[in-house]
Amino acid sequence: EGEGGSLRALSDLNVWEITRDRLDRLWLATRNAGAVHFDPATQRWGQILPESVDSTRPGLPHRTVFCIYEDRDGALWFGTLE
Protein backbone atom coordinates (compact mmCIF):
# COMPACT_ATOMS: atom_id res chain seq x y z
CA GLU A 1 0.00 0.00 0.00
CA GLY A 2 1.20 3.55 -0.63
CA GLU A 3 0.94 6.49 1.74
CA GLY A 4 -1.00 6.22 4.95
CA GLY A 5 -1.83 2.58 5.48
CA SER A 6 -0.24 -0.59 6.60
CA LEU A 7 2.34 -2.11 4.33
CA ARG A 8 1.10 -5.61 3.50
CA ALA A 9 4.31 -7.02 2.06
CA LEU A 10 6.71 -5.80 4.73
CA SER A 11 8.01 -9.30 5.41
CA ASP A 12 8.92 -9.69 1.72
CA LEU A 13 11.15 -6.61 1.56
CA ASN A 14 14.84 -6.88 0.76
CA VAL A 15 16.22 -3.99 2.80
CA TRP A 16 19.63 -2.49 1.98
CA GLU A 17 19.65 0.22 4.65
CA ILE A 18 17.56 1.65 7.50
CA THR A 19 17.84 5.34 8.35
CA ARG A 20 16.12 7.54 10.95
CA ASP A 21 15.41 11.15 9.95
CA ARG A 22 15.24 14.23 12.17
CA LEU A 23 11.45 13.77 12.52
CA ASP A 24 12.12 10.30 13.99
CA ARG A 25 10.68 8.49 10.94
CA LEU A 26 12.36 5.26 9.88
CA TRP A 27 13.29 4.97 6.21
CA LEU A 28 14.01 1.65 4.51
CA ALA A 29 16.01 1.53 1.28
CA THR A 30 14.71 -1.55 -0.54
CA ARG A 31 15.62 -3.72 -3.50
CA ASN A 32 12.33 -3.48 -5.44
CA ALA A 33 9.86 -1.56 -3.27
CA GLY A 34 11.32 1.94 -3.47
CA ALA A 35 11.70 3.89 -0.24
CA VAL A 36 9.48 2.68 2.58
CA HIS A 37 8.95 4.80 5.68
CA PHE A 38 7.34 4.41 9.09
CA ASP A 39 6.19 7.28 11.31
CA PRO A 40 6.11 6.13 14.94
CA ALA A 41 4.07 9.19 15.97
CA THR A 42 1.14 8.15 13.75
CA GLN A 43 1.96 4.41 13.51
CA ARG A 44 1.59 4.67 9.72
CA TRP A 45 3.62 3.27 6.85
CA GLY A 46 4.24 4.96 3.51
CA GLN A 47 6.10 4.22 0.32
CA ILE A 48 7.74 6.24 -2.43
CA LEU A 49 7.78 4.46 -5.79
CA PRO A 50 8.92 5.41 -9.28
CA GLU A 51 6.50 7.60 -11.25
CA SER A 52 6.21 4.74 -13.76
CA VAL A 53 4.53 2.69 -10.99
CA ASP A 54 2.62 5.48 -9.21
CA SER A 55 1.97 8.45 -11.51
CA THR A 56 -0.24 10.26 -8.97
CA ARG A 57 2.74 12.00 -7.32
CA PRO A 58 6.45 12.69 -7.82
CA GLY A 59 8.56 9.60 -7.38
CA LEU A 60 11.93 7.96 -7.64
CA PRO A 61 13.83 7.21 -10.86
CA HIS A 62 13.99 3.47 -10.01
CA ARG A 63 12.42 0.90 -7.66
CA THR A 64 15.77 -0.12 -6.18
CA VAL A 65 17.04 2.25 -3.48
CA PHE A 66 20.49 1.52 -2.06
CA CYS A 67 20.79 4.34 0.45
CA ILE A 68 18.96 7.27 2.00
CA TYR A 69 20.72 10.38 3.26
CA GLU A 70 19.33 13.41 5.08
CA ASP A 71 21.29 16.61 4.56
CA ARG A 72 21.69 19.35 7.16
CA ASP A 73 18.63 21.19 5.79
CA GLY A 74 16.45 18.12 6.32
CA ALA A 75 16.13 17.20 2.64
CA LEU A 76 16.20 13.47 1.93
CA TRP A 77 18.37 12.10 -0.88
CA PHE A 78 17.81 8.65 -2.35
CA GLY A 79 20.58 6.65 -4.02
CA THR A 80 18.86 4.51 -6.67
CA LEU A 81 19.88 2.06 -9.38
CA GLU A 82 19.36 4.77 -12.05
Side-chain angles (χ1 to χ4, degrees):
E1 200 171 305
E3 290 293 324
S6 61
L7 192 67
R8 283 183 231 158
L10 186 61
S11 64
D12 293 335
L13 291 179
N14 289 318
V15 177
W16 296 106
E17 178 179 80
I18 299 173
T19 302
R20 184 180 306 268
D21 70 15
R22 66 178 63 193
L23 299 176
D24 209 30
R25 296 174 296 192
L26 291 177
W27 288 86
L28 287 70
T30 73
R31 181 172 174 239
N32 280 317
V36 175
H37 56 91
F38 176 72
D39 186 341
T42 62
Q43 296 290 300
R44 295 181 71 103
W45 289 94
Q47 186 173 25
I48 302 174
L49 293 165
E51 290 180 28
S52 61
V53 176
D54 180 2
S55 62
T56 63
R57 59 192 160 174
L60 300 167
H62 197 275
R63 293 178 80 109
T64 297
V65 179
F66 293 108
C67 58
I68 301 170
Y69 172 75
E70 182 179 20
D71 67 21
R72 64 182 139 166
D73 295 323
L76 291 172
W77 296 81
F78 302 93
T80 66
L81 190 58
E82 292 181 2

